Amino acid sequence: MTATDPALTALAQGWCALSLLHGRIEAHIERALQSNHDLSVREYSLLDVLSRQHHGEGGHLQMKQVADAVVLSQSATTRLVTRLEDRGLLSRYLCPTDRRGIYTDVTDAGLRLLDQARPTNDKALREALDDAARNPELAPLVRAVETLRLPI
């Protein structure tokens, strides 16, 4: 295949469209969360992921799992956790059965902020998708996103 191969060109254009859609959505949500709740998209995502943990078998996520869920490196995730811990939104403690393991939980203040921010996030997501759906190049991707039903 060459660089002018139509299949590769179409693939590259599809990737660019997906990247554009993601960037627009993330930027719109970022502005809404920052202005209304002093939260970044990454901070919101981290609070959301950690709020879904539970006590019991398999209930807590390891930092690698958290990093994968918020699409950050482990070191960036650790820095993010530290920032939110400094704000009183997260807390860390040692695993009771493995003293090498560290759990991170959302504090009551973090849960309250997450509850306040969730409608803002959801509204901004809907607005960004509706705006993107008006673009003929992005409309098929919006439809695909709207029909996805992934397990959480």
Side-chain angles (χ1 to χ4, degrees):
M1 289 190 186
T2 67
T4 57
D5 184 309
L8 287 177
T9 300
L11 188 62
Q13 288 172 335
W15 171 243
C16 286
L18 182 59
S19 182
L20 176 64
L21 177 62
H22 176 268
R24 284 184 179 186
I25 291 170
E26 187 170 66
H28 189 76
I29 295 171
E30 180 82 25
R31 285 189 301 274
L33 288 173
Q34 280 290 346
S35 65
N36 292 299
H37 307 285
D38 193 28
L39 277 177
S40 71
V41 169
R42 300 285 188 215
E43 291 167 338
Y44 175 87
S45 296
L46 180 63
L47 289 172
D48 183 54
V49 165
L50 292 175
S51 75
R52 297 174 193 278
Q53 296 184 124
H54 58 85
H55 294 288
E57 188 68 30
H60 279 84
L61 300 174
Q62 297 172 351
M63 283 306 278
K64 181 179 181 348
Q65 294 170 302
V66 173
D68 289 346
V70 296
V71 194
L72 290 173
S73 68
Q74 282 187 263
S75 61
T77 301
T78 299
R79 289 190 301 275
L80 184 59
V81 165
T82 300
R83 276 199 317 271
L84 292 177
E85 186 178 36
D86 290 347
R87 290 176 59 185
L89 303 175
L90 296 178
S91 63
R92 287 187 252 200
Y93 64 94
L94 291 176
C95 171
T97 58
D98 179 359
R99 304 295 286 178
R100 296 170 295 170
I102 299 174
Y103 289 154
T104 304
D105 279 334
V106 181
T107 63
D108 289 341
L111 290 173
R112 283 192 300 276
L113 181 57
L114 181 62
D115 285 343
Q116 293 166 1
R118 193 177 309 279
T120 302
N121 179 79
D122 295 348
K123 180 177 183 249
L125 173 60
R126 181 75 266 159
E127 290 169 352
L129 286 170
D130 289 347
D131 183 55
R134 290 189 281 279
N135 180 326
E137 294 174 356
L138 300 178
L141 293 172
V142 171
R143 285 192 299 277
V145 168
E146 290 173 334
T147 59
L148 280 176
R149 297 293 180 252
L150 300 175
I152 293 179

